[in-house]
Amino acid sequence: MIANSTKWEKIRADYPVFNTYTYLFTNGGAPVSKPLVDKASALLTDLSEQGRGVMSAWNPEVEEIRGTMAGMINANTAEVAFITNTAQAMGLLVGMFPTTFEILTMKDDFPTSFVPWIHHGHPVRLVQPEANGAIPLSTIEQQITPDTRILILSHVMFRSGYRHDLQVIGELCKKRGIILIVDATQSFGVNEIDVAACNIDILIFHTYKWAAAGYGSGGMYVSRQLQEKYPPKTMGWYNVTYPNPDFDTMQDYTQFKPKQDATVFEQGTPPFLNILLLGEALRYINAIGIADIHAYIQALVTYLHEEARKHKVEVLSNFGPQHLSAIQRLKITPGQFRQLEESGIMARYKNNMLTIGINFYNNKADIDTLFAALQ
């Protein structure tokens, strides 16, 4: 049963996409809320009226948002950087480590997890998932070799929806002396993540999905210990310090030192608008509570499975409770998918698989609409 339905319906009313669609496509990208649109309008109005004068307010707000993001993953503020997407973040990470470091990652993971490492010459081993997409800890452990130095995985697998147990994986990596890099794009905003408790060395996430922050913003956590041991190789004008910070009087910019915290990963002028909109999205999520969001979505997933059984629709993401996520897959025919499209239901369909992404703005009526259209 879903408690306090009024609360969730008020949240749903902030998302006009439901005036047109039954939106089940958060795994592809989330709509943004009316409060986020209002914030964007206010920011652009300020920029149009004040120009550079906005920086006196924007700069401290960016740092406040950095602190908020750090608190949400139990990190120190000095360990958190802003990114525009996870591909950018992974590109920054690649040059930090010797190419002799063997990478272990998942064959079914998003290409960001292995493409840049292969390109830069790292030996890469791929863990094969089970037929249903599950990747048990024992399967990962069997693929570790004496040369394995880095394990990369998505908290929630984008294709299957399988959710890894980060705590047990973190314990394994700590025991084996392996650097753990986690992509939380498919879980940030839905699942609580504690980088300290899970022994995560690096966490990256794009916030255009379950955080519903729009495109162009995200976060990266890099532990202080890792920053000190493996500093990034890519430098710009913004992630270094100069002997004299006054650009009006300084003539020689050839003398510099890399910054000594996670802002060393921010090479140029920050995408202020994207970061400030991310801050609005984080305030929205924190006002709801991630624990409440997780419980609500799990209740919707349970209801989805019940309705699937009732309507004799095969669930392809039928994992144990600890591995279930907001991404769910159903086996349907092309004809059934056309019925969904005709009914205004937006979701991804490939290879006879319907993949849906459930978020805090969905409700049981969306699931009822889905199965009614399938029939």
Side-chain angles (χ1 to χ4, degrees):
M1 180 169 179
I2 297 173
N4 196 2
S5 59
T6 303
K7 166 184 174 179
W8 302 106
E9 291 309 305
K10 285 180 179 177
I11 292 166
R12 182 182 178 88
D14 281 335
Y15 289 85
V17 70
F18 290 101
N19 296 334
T20 308
Y21 301 105
T22 299
Y23 197 84
L24 295 166
F25 208 170
T26 299
N27 50 303
V32 297
S33 67
K34 289 190 285 188
L36 199 77
V37 173
D38 292 342
K39 177 71 172 179
S41 178
L43 290 170
L44 288 169
T45 299
D46 289 345
L47 186 58
S48 71
E49 294 175 352
Q50 301 175 41
R52 179 72 182 180
V54 297
M55 288 304 164
S56 61
W58 284 12
N59 275 317
E61 188 173 350
V62 164
E63 293 313 307
E64 189 178 309
I65 295 164
R66 191 190 305 276
T68 298
M69 196 158 59
M72 291 175 73
I73 58 173
N74 192 26
N76 187 289
T77 303
E79 297 173 310
V80 170
F82 293 107
I83 58 172
T84 55
N85 54 60
T86 52
Q88 179 217 8
M90 202 69 85
L92 291 169
L93 296 174
V94 167
M96 291 168 56
F97 307 101
T99 55
T100 54
F101 278 23
E102 181 182 272
I103 311 297
L104 182 64
T105 188
M106 311 298 112
K107 186 174 183 180
D108 207 29
D109 215 333
F110 200 73
T112 300
S113 294
F114 47 82
V115 166
W117 302 93
I118 292 172
H119 179 70
H120 280 261
H122 284 267
V124 174
R125 293 173 58 81
L126 301 174
V127 178
Q128 181 74 39
E130 294 182 352
N132 68 345
I135 311 173
L137 180 70
S138 58
T139 302
I140 296 173
E141 191 166 17
Q142 287 168 9
Q143 294 299 319
I144 294 174
T145 75
D147 295 324
T148 303
R149 299 296 302 276
I150 299 174
L151 173 63
I152 302 173
L153 51 74
S154 291
H155 185 190
V156 171
M157 304 298 290
F158 85 103
R159 199 189 310 274
S160 67
Y162 182 83
R163 176 162 59 99
H164 292 280
D165 186 331
L166 294 182
Q167 190 146 9
V168 298
I169 288 175
E171 289 169 0
L172 170 65
C173 288
K174 185 178 180 180
K175 181 177 71 174
R176 303 291 289 266
I178 294 171
I179 296 166
L180 176 58
I181 301 176
V182 176
D183 183 341
T185 296
Q186 306 287 1
S187 62
F188 180 80
V190 174
N191 303 111
E192 292 179 308
I193 301 170
D194 187 325
V195 293
C198 296
N199 295 299
I200 297 171
D201 296 292
I202 298 173
L203 182 80
I204 59 177
F205 49 89
H206 198 170
T207 52
Y208 73 105
K209 296 193 178 185
W210 274 267
Y215 297 94
S217 65
M220 175 164 69
Y221 156 82
V222 182
S223 72
R224 173 67 83 176
Q225 295 84 348
L226 210 66
Q227 289 180 44
E228 292 172 354
K229 191 170 183 181
Y230 302 104
K233 305 300 182 187
T234 306
M235 292 293 115
W237 75 272
Y238 196 83
N239 59 343
V240 300
T241 58
Y242 305 95
N244 179 2
D246 185 353
F247 272 35
D248 291 328
T249 60
M250 185 174 176
Q251 301 297 321
D252 181 9
Y253 304 112
T254 62
Q255 304 302 310
F256 57 85
K257 292 181 179 179
K259 290 183 178 179
Q260 298 301 302
D261 59 19
T263 60
V264 72
F265 294 99
E266 299 169 9
Q267 300 164 280
T269 303
F272 283 99
L273 285 168
N274 294 347
I275 294 170
L276 296 171
L277 292 176
L278 169 59
E280 179 66 27
L282 297 185
R283 283 189 287 272
Y284 194 98
I285 288 171
N286 285 330
I288 304 171
I290 291 182
D292 283 358
I293 291 172
H294 174 69
Y296 177 71
I297 290 175
Q298 290 297 95
L300 287 178
V301 169
T302 298
Y303 183 68
L304 174 77
H305 287 205
E306 291 170 353
E307 291 300 300
R309 284 193 294 271
K310 187 186 300 182
H311 291 88
K312 295 181 171 52
V313 175
E314 184 180 355
V315 177
L316 300 173
S317 49
N318 199 10
F319 308 120
Q322 74 275 25
H323 297 299
L324 285 174
S325 75
I327 296 176
Q328 294 293 303
R329 295 189 302 168
L330 304 175
K331 186 174 182 180
I332 65 171
T333 66
Q336 286 178 308
F337 181 65
R338 284 193 294 274
Q339 291 169 208
L340 299 187
E341 290 183 305
E342 290 166 4
S343 300
I345 297 170
M346 192 176 290
R348 173 176 285 142
Y349 182 68
K350 295 282 185 183
N351 303 320
N352 295 327
M353 290 184 295
L354 181 74
T355 304
I356 64 176
I358 300 173
N359 207 358
F360 51 74
Y361 39 62
N362 290 114
N363 60 18
K364 291 172 75 172
D366 290 337
I367 296 170
D368 292 338
T369 301
L370 170 68
F371 285 103
L374 287 176
Q375 299 306 305

